């Protein structure tokens, strides 16, 4: 009912101040009320004691609202039965009823308030004062029914607001969780693209070096140099990606179509000749589109290097008014006839390569198709929408 600590002390201090204020009002106001109600019993020590008991009981209204209502109801009923004038003591009854209605569930609050009301009605038929009989029922009920109704409305509004805040908190937590999951997937995809491509190139260059080492060791040195360069570049890019994760900050998408030439040269060292064609007028692209297009080309060429069994591939980048298209083709045999073989899924395990490409493109509103091409080989084609230029 009442939390401890600083909040509890604040409630206690507020209740004490409020009770003392009502006590002063009760003691001073009752004398004035007696002057305006001829026939009522004169204010005496017993009257003042009842006023003090009712007012000071409110000091515990947040800790024990039901008990406070009992004390205030008894004191008020005795006060009215004796015939003292209607006065500020009824304010303490109003506050006690309101507190019960706001602090207790509706059913217990209604039972406690109903009991107080029945007790209070005693003075209507037993009162020694000038006001008695059925004419006193309506004004008496108003001091109980009105604060109870107001208190219930306040309680319902508070509970509704609390549920709304709880739902908002759950919604924010769920949104944060989704954002975290999306960020993890994005980082995993970035790491997959960087490491996967680098390892594929290094594996191919290592095979070349092992093949040349017994017969032409001087040419094997070239392949080993290419391995060193490729691993260094992959580690540098991986370091940037992981650095952004540690700092919790978004990093700009460094790779883009401007690096296709460097990608082509790196793959040439691994034994894959890439013919790069650009259609249309190259222009600055949105960062997300630029990165996605580069990753699609990188992953597709990595698949060619791993699975196609050929030494060449073609890349076409087409800049259109409202979209960018990239296409990677080869004439190898890495894909199964239905487009679901090793080259189709991009990884020997799990198929994250092609799935990652599709997710990247779909996230930007584009579409990616991949499968065997007419005449043999494999084709990856991605369409990425752009804002229309005037």
């Amino acid at each position: 009912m009442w939390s401890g600590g600083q909040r509890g002390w604040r409630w206690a201090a507020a209740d004490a101040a409020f009770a003392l204020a009502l006590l002063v009002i009760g003691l001073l106001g009752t004398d004035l009320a007696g002057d305006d109600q001829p026939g009522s019993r004169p204010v005496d020590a017993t009257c003042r004691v009842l006023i003090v008991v009712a007012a000071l009981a409110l000091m515990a209204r947040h800790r024990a609202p039901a008990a406070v209502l009992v004390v205030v109801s008894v004191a008020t009923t005795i006060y009215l039965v004796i015939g003292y004038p209607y006065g500020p003591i009824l304010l303490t009854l109003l506050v006690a009823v309101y507190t019960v209605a706001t602090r207790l569930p509706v059913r217990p609050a209604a039972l406690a308030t109903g009991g107080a009301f029945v007790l209070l009605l005693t003075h209507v038929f037993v009162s020694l004062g000038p006001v008695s009989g059925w004419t006193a029922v309506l004004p008496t009920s108003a001091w109980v029914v009105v604060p109870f109704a107001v208190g219930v409305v306040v309680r319902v509004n508070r509970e509704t607001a609390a549920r709304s805040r709880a739902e908002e908190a759950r919604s924010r937590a769920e949104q944060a969780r989704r954002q975290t999951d999306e960020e993890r997937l994005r980082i995993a995809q970035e790491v997959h693209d960087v490491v996967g491509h680098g390892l594929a190139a290094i594996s191919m260059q290592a095979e070349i070096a092992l093949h040349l080492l017994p017969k032409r060791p001087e040419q094997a040195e070239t392949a080993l140099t290419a391995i060193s360069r490729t691993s260094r570049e992959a580690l540098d890019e991986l370091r940037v990606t992981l650095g952004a994760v540690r700092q919790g900050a978004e990093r700009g998408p460094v790779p883009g179509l401007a690096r296709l030439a460097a990608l082509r040269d790196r793959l040439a060292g691994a034994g894959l000749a890439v013919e790069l064609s650009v259609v249309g007028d190259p222009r600055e692209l949105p960062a997300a589109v630029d990165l996605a297009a580069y990753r699609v080309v990188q992953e597709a060429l990595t698949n060619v290097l791993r699975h196609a069994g050929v030494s060449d591939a073609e890349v076409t980048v087409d800049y259109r008014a409202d979209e960018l298209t990239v296409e990677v083709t080869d004439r190898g045999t890495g894909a199964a006839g239905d487009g679901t073989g090793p080259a189709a899924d991009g990884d020997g395990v799990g198929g994250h390569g092609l799935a990652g490409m599709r997710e990247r493109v779909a996230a930007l509103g584009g579409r990616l198709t991949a499968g065997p091409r007419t005449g043999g080989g494999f084709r990856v084609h991605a369409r990425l929408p752009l804002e229309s230029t005037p």
Side-chain angles (χ1 to χ4, degrees), residues 120-138:
L120 197 65
L121 283 180
T122 304
H123 89 281
V124 172
F125 306 102
V126 187
S127 176
L128 302 177
V131 180
S132 61
W134 291 103
T135 56
V137 173
L138 185 59

Side-chain angles (χ1 to χ4, degrees), residues 131-217:
V131 180
S132 61
W134 291 103
T135 56
V137 173
L138 185 59
T140 300
S141 63
W143 288 98
V144 176
V145 174
V146 172
F148 176 77
V150 174
V152 169
V153 170
V154 170
R155 178 182 175 83
V156 169
N157 288 340
R158 287 175 180 172
E159 291 176 347
T160 301
R163 284 195 296 269
S164 177
R165 289 192 296 270
E167 290 175 359
E168 290 177 2
R170 284 194 296 269
S171 177
R172 288 193 296 268
E174 179 64 20
Q175 182 179 2
R177 187 189 64 77
R178 286 197 301 268
Q179 290 176 346
T180 300
D181 290 343
E182 291 172 359
E183 181 64 11
R184 286 173 178 170
L185 288 174
R186 187 186 70 81
I187 295 300
Q189 194 175 62
E190 286 288 295
V191 172
H192 168 273
D193 291 341
V194 172
V195 175
H197 170 76
L199 290 179
I202 290 171
S203 175
M204 183 63 68
Q205 291 160 347
E207 291 178 3
I208 294 173
L210 290 173
H211 179 73
L212 294 175
L213 188 60
K215 302 176 182 178
R216 288 176 284 179

Side-chain angles (χ1 to χ4, degrees), residues 39-56:
S40 62
R41 187 182 182 91
V43 176
D44 54 18
T46 302
C47 175
R48 291 188 174 89
V49 168
L50 292 172
I51 293 172
V52 170
V53 170
L56 294 185

Side-chain angles (χ1 to χ4, degrees), residues 68-90:
V68 168
L69 179 59
V70 171
V71 173
V72 172
S73 299
V74 171
T76 304
T77 299
I78 295 173
Y79 176 97
L80 295 175
V81 167
I82 293 175
Y84 293 119
Y86 278 83
I89 194 172
L90 292 172

